[in-house]
Amino acid sequence: MTVSTIILAAGKGTRMRSPTPKILHRIAGKHLIAFSVDLAKAIKSKETIVVVGNENEHATKVALSGEAVNFCTQKSQLGTGDAVKVALEGFKIKSKYTLILYGDTPFIKSNTIKKMISKAEKGFEFIFLGFHARKKNSYGKFKLGPKGTLIDIIEKKEPEYNSPDSLSNSGIVLAQSGIIADLIQKVTNNNAKQEYYLTDIVKLAAKHGHSSTYVQCKEDECIGINSQLELSFAEKKFQDNFREKLMASGVSMQSPETCFFSYDTIIKSGCIIEPNVFFGTGVKIQSSTIIKSYSHIEGTHIGRHCQIGPFARLRPGTNLLEEVKIGNFVEVKNTTLASKAKANHLTYIGDAKVGAHTNIGAGTIFCNYDGKNKHLSVVGDNVFIGSNASLIAPLKVGDASIVAAGSVINRDVPSESLAIARPIQQNKIGLAKKIMLKLQKVADKMRK
Ligand code: UD1
Ligand code: MG
């Protein structure tokens, strides 16, 4: 059965109290709205329509620019029923069934939607998703009829709302496209909030001889985000699950709760992650690598048997092959280090290629930026860069060469050469003693 998806995301999200639209807040580095877009993809939705408001339209389009989704704008937020109506008026749905998701409900599982689809295959025209809530809440409540049918959903502000034991409405619905397109026109705002409630569709369906039912899932799946505090709870839940999955796959963590992962972090088995490590988006780490404490890593690939940190900063475009060592206070950006290369202390390596077995001494700076443009440095295999060297790009340092400590290098270094670029040292025999005596005399005079 084919399904099209409408994601409701026009709400203002005022309770977030933030200039950032609610659905563009992130969990594990991923926009809230992207979770719903990915869910639509997971169930092979034929088309996906995102309903945005005037205020979040531009930013949402930018955030989802790589995605195959259509947008429509709900000019005033008159309720969930109105949002669906705007989408159905703007697009002729191509599938027999339409799935309605929210942009602020990131944990719904594709298996749950598949259960809803199988109810549709049995002939139900509307399938709502409900759950048993542990605590008192203000969700819409299901009113059930015989044989698992749904006869109404009562919203919090409405007079009949008094059944704390009923299933709560997650808001997610699967509906037969033709029927919802027709019935949505009949929804009114004659209620306590003067809103167009999507949930009124249940009563309307019954009135017009259509069947509604429900699927039940766990409360955890239906977590919606309305405030910064709820966002932090959702983040915690995501992180806890993610860490559990990593450890189950053979990654060791001494203090998992202190490490932060992004939704797309990949770490292979045999890796050890010490306490307090941050993984931004786009990180992949091959097996048996150790990441020491207080490292900050994003947009980076790390090969097998590497040692990173403590206090390493790996920025986007970093590619470390096997057995590379990056030590404390080393920053690497847009750089490949080949196997067994080392930069163990206090170094910046930007826009470079560093060969195998090359050693970058403490305090070395790759000077990649001239104030207007970034330039590339290429350092060969088996090179020794002495401490506190400045390598001014664009630059090539040939294989098996040596750069003397303290050098400022701005010309290419041929292979197997020593490059030394620092003032020549002079030793003035006995002069230190003479200077000290002179200074002592001055000090004695001043004290008198
Ligand atoms: C809705 C349901 C309620 C359910 C709850 C679950 C209705 C009438 N009520 O209530 O039964 O228990 O969700 O969380 O549907 N939106 C728009 N345009 C609008 C209004 C909302 O796009 O005009 C979007 C919001 O951005 C959000 C979603 O619809 O993604 C839900 O809106 P919200 O106002 O949070 O609905 P609730 O009052 O929570
Ligand atoms: Mg809500």
Side-chain angles (χ1 to χ4, degrees), residues 323-336:
E323 294 183 59
V324 169
K325 283 189 183 168
I326 299 290
N328 40 258
F329 307 108
V330 174
E331 175 181 346
V332 186
K333 183 213 78 167
N334 190 31
T335 288
T336 297

Side-chain angles (χ1 to χ4, degrees), residues 365-376:
I365 304 295
F366 282 58
C367 310
N368 57 331
Y369 186 47
D370 60 14
K372 291 275 180 223
N373 301 298
K374 304 274 170 72
H375 301 282
L376 189 71

